[in-house]
Amino acid sequence: MISKRLKAIADLVPSNKSVIDIGTDHAYLPIYLYQNKITQDVAGSDISVNVLKYSLNNLKKYQLETKIPLLVSDGFKNIPRKFAVAILAGMGTRTIIDILNTAILPDILIIQSNNEHYLLRTHMNKIGYKISREVVIKDKKHYYVIIKYEKGKEVLSDDILLFGKSNNLEYYQYLLAKYEYIYNQAKDNKYLVYIKKLNSIIEKIPV
Ligand SMILES: C[S@@+](CC[C@H](N)C(=O)[O-])C[C@H]1O[C@@H](n2cnc3c(N)ncnc32)[C@H](O)[C@@H]1O
């Protein structure tokens, strides 16, 4: 059984497309996509050979070692073919941007960054990707922002660059409480701006 986070990522993958999971680690996502017939053309890659030994063991548990290729690659550098969809999950935004900067990219990217979502949204907008879906899920104690990007242009407001398109009330309330706490500690006016913006976004979400 995969985690709620990985399931939410899998739910954004379109059916019957070729998919590469960059930084696959355990390969749970390719295994899930294959077993659930979301796609039979799925590969996993990782920068670490040692990690891929562990992934291979996981594939063997399900007799999928001949079905799901595993590739050693720093980002897209050694990926030998084009995939329609790439997933980049569980990494930081700066690593993700470094990876995206060195490749001809697929039309669809599904990204779950652990941090710096403003930087991620700004960068993706700059390189010609629009947000086609954004969801935030809570898995155990953590909120995870998952964004599905498609090639295309869009104008994004500062509110969306900062807080995204998820409209997840619980997440925004969590952010609000966090920024109120930080503001009370540090008295940095930047957080006062975030607090005002979040209050105004929250007011508009139907309950
Ligand atoms: C925290 S794990 C996330 C695993 C999985 N994607 C998930 O979301 O559960 C991050 C993985 O990314 C890999 N990684 C880090 N930098 C990478 C790069 N430049 N190219 C490919 N893989 C990378 C690491 O080796 C590690 O296995």
Side-chain angles (χ1 to χ4, degrees), residues 115-130:
N115 56 28
E116 299 192 89
H117 298 108
Y118 177 85
L119 176 64
L120 176 69
R121 294 189 194 95
T122 308
H123 181 79
M124 296 306 291
N125 186 262
K126 196 174 85 188
I127 65 170
Y129 280 85
K130 60 183 181 190

Side-chain angles (χ1 to χ4, degrees), residues 20-24 43-48 52 70-81 83 86-88 91 95-106 109:
I20 176 98
D21 182 28
I22 304 273
T24 194
S45 74
D46 207 284
I47 197 169
S48 159
L52 287 181
L70 291 175
L71 308 158
V72 185
S73 177
D74 175 0
F76 289 90
K77 284 179 192 165
N78 294 324
I79 305 297
R81 53 169 278 219
F83 286 85
I87 301 169
L88 295 99
M91 291 176 262
T95 302
I96 291 170
I97 289 176
D98 282 348
I99 290 173
L100 298 179
N101 279 343
T102 57
I104 297 168
L105 298 173
L109 293 165

Side-chain angles (χ1 to χ4, degrees), residues 21-203:
D21 182 28
I22 304 273
T24 194
D25 197 348
H26 34 66
Y28 291 155
L29 206 42
I31 292 169
Y32 179 88
L33 294 174
Y34 192 94
Q35 286 184 326
N36 289 278
K37 299 189 170 39
I38 295 164
T39 176
Q40 305 289 284
D41 184 2
V42 57
S45 74
D46 207 284
I47 197 169
S48 159
V49 183
N50 283 335
V51 158
L52 287 181
K53 286 180 190 158
Y54 170 67
S55 330
L56 183 61
N57 280 336
N58 283 337
L59 294 188
K60 284 180 178 167
K61 278 184 207 158
Y62 302 99
Q63 291 85 47
L64 288 176
E65 68 274 22
T66 58
K67 307 287 184 197
I68 300 177
L70 291 175
L71 308 158
V72 185
S73 177
D74 175 0
F76 289 90
K77 284 179 192 165
N78 294 324
I79 305 297
R81 53 169 278 219
K82 203 170 182 267
F83 286 85
V85 182
I87 301 169
L88 295 99
M91 291 176 262
T93 284
R94 284 166 201 268
T95 302
I96 291 170
I97 289 176
D98 282 348
I99 290 173
L100 298 179
N101 279 343
T102 57
I104 297 168
L105 298 173
D107 290 348
I108 299 175
L109 293 165
I110 299 170
I111 300 181
Q112 181 266 303
S113 167
N114 291 334
N115 56 28
E116 299 192 89
H117 298 108
Y118 177 85
L119 176 64
L120 176 69
R121 294 189 194 95
T122 308
H123 181 79
M124 296 306 291
N125 186 262
K126 196 174 85 188
I127 65 170
Y129 280 85
K130 60 183 181 190
I131 299 171
S132 77
R133 215 35 231 291
E134 177 162 345
V135 291
V136 175
I137 57 110
K138 193 176 184 190
D139 193 353
K140 303 200 175 100
K141 285 184 182 160
H142 295 284
Y143 286 94
Y144 295 97
V145 176
I146 305 164
I147 310 179
K148 180 175 179 179
Y149 281 104
E150 285 175 20
K151 270 201 177 136
K153 298 219 172 295
E154 66 180 340
V155 177
L156 293 180
S157 66
D158 206 36
D159 283 7
I160 289 179
L161 288 171
L162 279 166
F163 305 117
K165 289 188 178 181
S166 73
N167 265 346
N168 183 318
L169 181 62
E170 197 189 294
Y171 173 59
Y172 291 148
Q173 283 167 337
Y174 154 80
L175 287 180
L176 181 63
K178 182 170 114 176
Y179 293 141
E180 280 172 346
Y181 176 81
I182 298 173
Y183 178 71
N184 287 331
Q185 300 292 311
K187 300 285 179 234
D188 180 342
N189 279 341
K190 177 174 90 177
Y191 293 100
L192 209 51
V193 174
Y194 293 168
I195 290 164
K196 281 185 188 152
K197 281 179 181 294
L198 277 167
N199 272 320
S200 135
I201 291 169
I202 287 169
E203 264 173 29

